[in-house]
Amino acid sequence: MVEHIKIVGTRSSPTVECNPETLVLHLAGDSYPENTFDFYKPITAWLEAVLDQDEDARVVTLNVELAYLNTGSIKSMMDMLDRLDEAHEDGRAVKVIWLCDSENERIIELAEELLEDVSLPYQIITD
Amino acid sequence: MGEHNRTDTRIDALLARLNGLVGADADALRTEIEWLIGRYRRLDRNLNKISRMSDRLQAEIMQLNDKLRDASITDPLTGLMNRRGAHDALQIETKAAQASQSPGFFLILIDIDFFKVVNDTHGHDVGDEVLVNFSARLTSAMRETDLIARWGGEEFLILLRETNLADAMSLLEGFHENLRSRPVKTAIGPLTVTASSGLCQYHPRDDGYDGTVYRADQALYVAKESGRDQWLLAEDPPQD
């Protein structure tokens, strides 16, 4: 059984929930933790573990509500998107939903740029 | 870019060699290597993308830094430079004066007379209006090269560069005269406002600009004590 991860957000690190019941990985807030790779390591490992369960037919959802990402967070996001895209090409049901504040042009642009190369289904929602 | 082309050439050569191989092992090997090549190309693309995004972020941070720097030396009410900004400017000007052995800059400390009465009688909003209008009047009276700062409360500091005593005195006299004869516009109607000031030239015997400010402040004090609505020239620093 894959673990249930819950991380309470701070000023510089996002609120995280990796739910093995719903297979939803939710990230919200600002992401510029001091050690980005250490911060994202358990999260990417969780995603890896979920995607490794080949027999699971349910949709794996990456649900992003990040308003700011530092360079390390962008790298981690790219790695997760690449991994999800690979799983999608292998026939797994995956999707990405990125919720952006319509006033935050920077994050909308970033979401579009990050998702332009993937073939998996995704939605950028602005509100 | 050279590195990229060299790698591409080697990938092409590798793929050509793989295509020459036959058999089940060759097919498996081809699949595996093609996957790795795809992976390499994706990572290369990601690296370029991250660099672009990172550059953009850095540019934004630099712009924000500039804005913060501007905000940290600006008085929000009057838009003039604040005391911190004035200190920075005075330091630069003092160093320049020390290095060039030139006569040095002039400095004015000017304080609005009976400002507390304006605040107490008409309220702080009117007081703020007086400060804003007084600042605008100072700005239009001084030259482009002069630096005007809100030194604190109702006190302002003016740094006059590349001038002489006669011009500095006439500039200051003109300002006092103009202020006295043209009331300041406020929401409750025109208010006649006067000010007192001390004029001082940097002197090598001043202990840095602190000494110059001190002497200007002394002159301002005397101008206040001896009736206000006037300016006074500061005394030279004492002989060693």
Side-chain angles (χ1 to χ4, degrees):
Chain A
M1 186 65 194
V2 182
E3 61 174 329
H4 194 150
I5 302 177
K6 279 185 184 177
I7 303 172
V8 179
T10 68
R11 193 171 52 85
S12 60
S13 63
T15 297
V16 183
E17 183 170 7
C18 304
N19 189 333
E21 305 294 327
T22 57
L23 300 187
V24 173
L25 196 172
H26 182 234
L27 297 163
D30 284 346
S31 182
Y32 54 102
E34 230 167 78
N35 195 329
T36 312
F37 292 107
D38 282 351
F39 183 85
Y40 277 97
K41 208 183 271 175
I43 301 163
T44 47
W46 182 89
L47 186 65
E48 194 69 41
V50 164
L51 292 174
D52 276 346
Q53 294 176 331
D54 291 333
E55 71 287 355
D56 201 330
R58 292 176 298 157
V59 183
V60 179
T61 307
L62 173 62
N63 193 344
V64 189
E65 275 183 75
L66 294 175
Y68 177 87
L69 291 86
N70 68 0
T71 312
S73 304
I74 293 172
K75 166 77 169 71
S76 298
M77 187 58 67
M78 273 180 173
D79 288 346
M80 286 194 279
L81 289 173
D82 276 356
R83 185 65 190 88
L84 282 164
D85 209 31
E86 206 181 289
H88 169 70
E89 280 161 15
D90 290 343
R92 274 302 290 273
V94 299
K95 71 173 178 196
V96 176
I97 298 169
W98 198 313
L99 200 67
C100 302
D101 179 347
S102 60
E103 309 242 306
N104 190 344
E105 278 173 39
R106 189 203 292 126
I107 200 70
I108 298 170
E109 196 184 342
L110 190 125
E112 283 168 352
E113 211 168 334
L114 279 174
L115 290 162
E116 69 188 2
D117 292 328
V118 300
S119 55
L120 57 79
Y122 71 84
Q123 266 182 293
I124 298 174
I125 302 168
T126 54
D127 72 348
Chain B
M1 212 56 208
E3 184 62 31
H4 188 79
N5 286 336
R6 228 177 62 217
T7 311
D8 274 347
T9 310
R10 291 179 76 143
I11 286 173
D12 289 344
L14 179 65
L15 285 174
R17 278 178 67 187
L18 282 171
N19 283 333
L21 299 177
V22 286
D25 272 359
D27 286 344
L29 194 62
R30 200 155 35 231
T31 307
E32 195 61 21
I33 288 178
E34 275 169 0
W35 185 86
L36 283 172
I37 292 169
R39 191 77 206 132
Y40 156 75
R41 293 214 157 108
R42 191 160 208 169
L43 287 175
D44 192 49
R45 202 167 56 225
N46 281 356
L47 180 63
N48 287 332
K49 201 183 265 193
I50 286 179
S51 305
R52 253 194 341 266
M53 290 173 168
S54 175
D55 286 351
R56 214 160 52 211
L57 279 177
Q58 203 181 341
E60 277 174 35
I61 289 168
M62 298 307 267
Q63 282 168 10
L64 276 176
N65 239 340
D66 288 349
K67 271 194 202 166
L68 271 178
R69 158 89 193 145
D70 287 348
S72 77
I73 59 167
T74 304
D75 172 53
L77 178 68
T78 61
L80 294 177
M81 194 173 257
N82 64 15
R83 193 176 181 119
R84 185 204 305 259
H87 274 296
D88 291 352
L90 283 167
Q91 195 150 21
I92 291 167
E93 219 52 46
T94 307
K95 274 193 183 147
Q98 284 165 346
S100 70
Q101 304 285 320
S102 64
F105 57 91
F106 284 83
L107 193 150
I108 298 166
L109 273 182
I110 185 161
D111 189 282
I112 302 173
D113 294 333
F114 301 113
F115 183 71
K116 192 177 177 304
V117 177
V118 175
N119 266 337
D120 291 349
T121 315
H122 307 292
H124 287 275
D125 287 348
V126 173
D128 283 353
E129 268 190 290
V130 169
L131 287 171
V132 170
N133 284 322
F134 183 84
S135 302
R137 296 276 284 271
L138 265 183
T139 306
S140 60
M142 298 300 149
R143 308 162 310 160
E144 282 276 311
T145 48
D146 302 332
L147 192 145
I148 306 160
R150 187 169 175 203
W151 191 244
E154 66 272 26
E155 192 175 3
F156 298 80
L157 180 144
I158 303 148
L159 180 70
L160 306 168
R161 286 179 276 222
E162 289 167 34
T163 189
N164 54 55
L165 182 59
D167 287 349
M169 283 163 56
S170 110
L171 193 71
L172 187 54
E173 176 57 35
F175 176 73
H176 276 275
E177 172 54 32
N178 178 287
L179 187 67
R180 180 182 305 132
S181 57
R182 285 179 46 219
V184 168
K185 289 185 188 115
T186 73
I188 54 143
L191 273 184
T192 299
V193 170
T194 63
S196 306
S197 64
L199 171 65
C200 188
Q201 184 173 22
Y202 169 78
H203 193 287
R205 279 208 307 279
D206 282 330
D207 189 16
Y209 64 83
D210 283 350
T212 323
V213 173
Y214 175 79
R215 290 189 295 119
D217 196 43
Q218 288 295 304
L220 166 61
Y221 177 78
V222 178
K224 286 271 186 197
E225 288 301 295
S226 55
R228 295 183 171 84
D229 188 20
Q230 59 183 324
W231 62 271
L232 280 182
L233 186 61
E235 289 180 17
D236 281 348
Q239 296 286 342
D240 291 329

